[in-house]
């Protein structure tokens, strides 16, 4: 990629597929269990509200799993925006010392002054070649901004 790019956006690949599959599975399982609650021979009486609550619980759990699809990094000539599962940060390139991917790390990180860093969960080791391309593109934008 060249430094003349206006903006780049990276999102994790594998975790998004896995999270969606798990979310769909959770909703399906909790729906089936919720629908079957009324037909139990144990003598326990499950009402319609119990069945609905079970389905809603599955939807809520699926929503929690889908939070893993939220990470995204957007970078352009002026800076970088990092959105992780819960937090979001914006950094000007002047505030970023480097982009690293330490050995054994699950995701890349932005090295900041005073030995601080911010994880970039959108660039994950499990995405292999995509992660390499993402880090290279971010480094190229960072290098271009420093000149």
């Amino acid at each position: 990629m060249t430094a003349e790019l206006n903006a780049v956006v990276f999102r994790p690949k594998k975790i998004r597929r896995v999270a969606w599959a798990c979310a769909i599975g959770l909703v399906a399982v909790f729906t089936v269990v919720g629908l079957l609650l009324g037909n139990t021979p144990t003598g326990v009486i499950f009402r319609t509200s119990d069945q609905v609550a079970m389905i809603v619980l599955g939807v809520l759990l699926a929503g929690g799993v889908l939070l893993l699809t939220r990470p995204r990094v957007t970078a352009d000539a002026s800076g970088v925006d990092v959105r992780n599962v819960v937090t979001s940060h914006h950094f000007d390139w002047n505030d970023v010392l480097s982009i690293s991917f330490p050995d054994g790390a699950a995701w890349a990180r932005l090295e900041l002054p005073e030995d601080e860093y911010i994880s970039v969960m959108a660039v994950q080791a499990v995405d292999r070649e995509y992660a390499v391309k993402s880090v290279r593109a971010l480094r190229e934008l960072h290098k271009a901004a420093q000149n």
Side-chain angles (χ1 to χ4, degrees):
M1 294 191 163
T2 62
E4 287 83 45
L5 289 176
N6 290 337
V8 292
V9 177
F10 299 108
R11 300 186 76 174
K13 298 279 186 190
K14 287 185 181 180
I15 193 69
R16 291 174 69 199
R17 290 191 298 265
V18 170
W20 274 104
C22 288
I24 291 168
L26 281 168
V27 170
V29 166
F30 276 79
T31 299
V32 168
V33 169
L35 294 175
L36 295 178
L37 274 179
N39 299 331
T40 179
T42 62
V44 178
I45 300 171
F46 290 104
R47 302 184 191 278
T48 304
S49 62
D50 298 320
Q51 293 174 304
V52 170
M54 185 63 73
I55 295 169
V56 168
L57 180 61
V59 170
L60 290 174
L61 289 172
V65 169
L66 288 177
L67 283 175
L68 297 174
T69 67
R70 190 173 186 271
R72 180 180 73 199
V73 61
T74 305
D76 58 20
S78 65
V80 59
D81 292 309
V82 178
R83 183 176 74 186
N84 288 328
V85 174
V86 178
T87 61
S88 294
H89 302 278
H90 172 80
F91 298 99
D92 292 328
W93 285 121
N94 295 333
D95 299 332
V96 177
L97 299 177
S98 66
I99 296 94
S100 66
F101 211 125
D103 288 340
W107 41 75
R109 64 190 198 181
L110 300 179
E111 302 292 340
L112 304 171
E114 300 182 18
D115 293 328
E116 293 186 23
Y117 66 89
I118 188 82
S119 297
V120 181
M121 296 177 76
V123 181
Q124 300 186 358
V126 296
D127 289 332
R128 298 182 187 242
E129 194 59 38
Y130 178 74
V132 171
K133 290 177 185 177
S134 302
V135 169
R136 286 182 180 156
L138 290 171
R139 286 178 177 164
E140 203 169 304
L141 283 168
H142 180 251
K143 182 179 177 183
Q146 299 301 312
N147 296 333

